[in-house]
Structures are given as C-alpha cells and as structure tokens.
Amino acid sequence: MAQILSDDTFAQQSGNVLIDSLVYVGLPLWTQETPSSGLTVTYAFMTTPLVPADNEEAIVDFSPLNATQQAAVRLVYATSEPLTGLTFIETPNALTADVSFGTIDITDPGVMAYTMTGATVTRDAGGLVTIDRQDYVYLDNNEYGAVLSDPLPGTLGYETILHEIGHTLGLDDTAYTQTLPAVLDNTDFTVMSYNETDTYKSNFSVLDMQTLQYLYADSGTIRSFGVIPVVGWPGVSTSPSLGATLAVG
C-alpha cells in the first residue's frame, strides 16, 4: 500500500487535448520509488462494505460480486497489463488490497456504478511523498442489477466494469473534463464517454489506450505496447438498448 513517491507520480496534463480529456488530474498513479523494478497492484472482492474515511455516500444493501462479475474484473485487469506495464494480482484481503469491488443499491437511480478513491498523502523534509491509496468500486444491484449481474464481454455490464476500472487506472470521465471534441466524445473513441455508439465495448478504445500509454510509459515498467483483444461471447448481443447510459464516477 504505502510507498515513497516523487511528485511526478501524480497524474498531470500532457498538453495534448485528446489525452488531457481523459487524465484524472492529481490522482496518485500506481507507480513506485524504483519504477524499473516493476509494480504490482492488488485487487480484491469485498465480503463487507469498505469506504474512504471521508465518504458521504450511503452504503445500502451491500452484497459481494457474483462469479461472473468477478470473472469480468479479472479479465479487464489481465488485458490492461500490456497497456500499463502494471501487474494486477488478486488478493483475498479487501482491507489491504489497492482496489476493492462490491455491489450496493446506489442511491441515485441514474447511476450504474462508481469508483471512490481514498488516499493519504504526506511529505517528508526531503520532499519525498508517501501515498497510501485505496480505491473502492461499487456496482449497482438494484435498478441495474439485472444488467450488471451477467457482465459478459460485449454487454453493457462488461463495458461498465471496463469504465470503472478505467478510473482505477487514472482515466477520468469526458463528461467531467468537458474538453474532448464532440465528434470524438463517444465510446468508439473512449469508454470513459457516456455517449454510446452501436456496440458495447469489450476493450479500451483508442483514446483510452493512448492516455494509459502516456500515464505509464515513463514508469519504466511498460511492456511492449499492444492490445489483448476481448470479443463478445457467442450468443451475446452487442447492440445498446435505447436510452442506455454508462456508469458514472
């Protein structure tokens, strides 16, 4: 969890409007004091609800992720490794994991899922920064319970998990940054957009990959850049339903 980091481990703008439309500025990144040694990020599935100390969101009707939801999380993180240079390892202890997942009845009926980040930041006399960061991802199990309970690749449920894991990697919502040109502000270009196109996405889109490369290429751990393709499973419809919306937060 806690590591000694320098200032450049916080997400910063690049000067490229397309990348900066997706950068979660100021977020502590998953980097470490000696980047060339590689970095492991752990994730876990909650058995009881966990939240940051300053969280104001009510936790209602918590339940753990089901087997299909857990499989989707594992698959997204596995396919994120060549895009980030990070190694993602599942751990049984949600209390100490870097990222923890659960489901609740999200209060806002328009929200499918959200990600909360808790981080304690301290600086020593020499200017080095110690960051203890932990992310909490919640999927809705009420209004969107049916959609999110069976998140196979090529479905809105899987794309929603992809979107939330994007937040854990340092990507922001285009609806929040509001700087991405409208012609590119859709899921064909970034899964961090709320504007759906004609298919649900099973992989990060082109601007997501470009931004992840920017955020992590200087860590010294970046693997050969590439995409592990994830396609829709046989028999799974990839067409969005009318009025479908992506997760937020």
Side-chain angles (χ1 to χ4, degrees), residues 15 27 56 70 74 78 84 108 111 122 138 146 152 155 166 172 182 199 212 239 246:
L27 185 74
E56 297 179 355
Q70 291 184 26
R74 295 184 186 108
T84 61
D108 187 337
V111 175
T122 58
Y138 280 108
L152 304 180
T155 67
D172 208 346
T199 58
L212 291 173
S239 298
L246 271 176

Side-chain angles (χ1 to χ4, degrees), residues 9 42 63 71 80 114 136 140 143 148 157 225 234-235:
T9 60
T42 59
S63 62
S80 298
Y114 63 75
Y136 309 87
D140 182 68
E143 288 89 356
L148 295 174
F225 183 72

Side-chain angles (χ1 to χ4, degrees), residues 62-223:
F62 168 85
S63 62
L65 268 63
N66 65 32
T68 306
Q69 292 169 328
Q70 291 184 26
V73 170
R74 295 184 186 108
L75 183 55
V76 173
Y77 274 131
T79 55
S80 298
E81 289 190 347
L83 302 180
T84 61
L86 305 176
T87 298
F88 300 96
I89 295 181
E90 181 177 344
T91 176
N93 191 346
L95 286 172
T96 59
D98 296 312
V99 188
S100 299
F101 293 82
T103 81
I104 59 172
D105 178 4
I106 296 176
T107 304
D108 187 337
V111 175
M112 297 180 67
Y114 63 75
T115 298
M116 299 179 288
T117 294
T120 302
V121 182
T122 58
R123 187 184 304 271
D124 69 13
L128 291 178
V129 177
T130 300
I131 300 175
D132 187 4
R133 173 182 163 190
Q134 188 171 30
D135 288 5
Y136 309 87
V137 180
Y138 280 108
L139 310 178
D140 182 68
N141 59 23
N142 187 5
E143 288 89 356
Y144 299 98
V147 171
L148 295 174
S149 66
D150 194 28
L152 304 180
T155 67
L156 178 57
Y158 190 89
E159 187 182 272
T160 300
I161 291 174
L162 188 66
H163 176 105
E164 295 307 318
I165 287 179
H167 284 309
T168 74
L169 299 179
L171 302 182
D172 208 346
D173 297 315
T174 60
Y176 179 79
T177 60
Q178 297 186 343
T179 56
L180 188 63
V183 69
L184 302 178
D185 194 1
N186 62 66
T187 55
D188 279 348
F189 293 97
T190 170
V191 300
M192 306 313 290
S193 174
Y194 297 161
N195 301 315
E196 287 287 353
T197 56
D198 59 348
T199 58
Y200 292 130
K201 303 301 181 284
S202 300
N203 299 283
F204 286 113
S205 298
V206 60
L207 295 182
D208 306 316
M209 293 187 286
Q210 185 178 7
T211 305
L212 291 173
Q213 180 79 349
Y214 160 70
L215 290 173
Y216 294 102
D218 291 338
S219 70
T221 66
I222 195 73
R223 297 178 174 87

Side-chain angles (χ1 to χ4, degrees), residues 23-37:
V23 173
Y24 197 135
V25 175
L27 185 74
L29 296 175
W30 303 116
T31 50
Q32 60 182 10
E33 186 178 10
T34 311
S36 60
S37 67

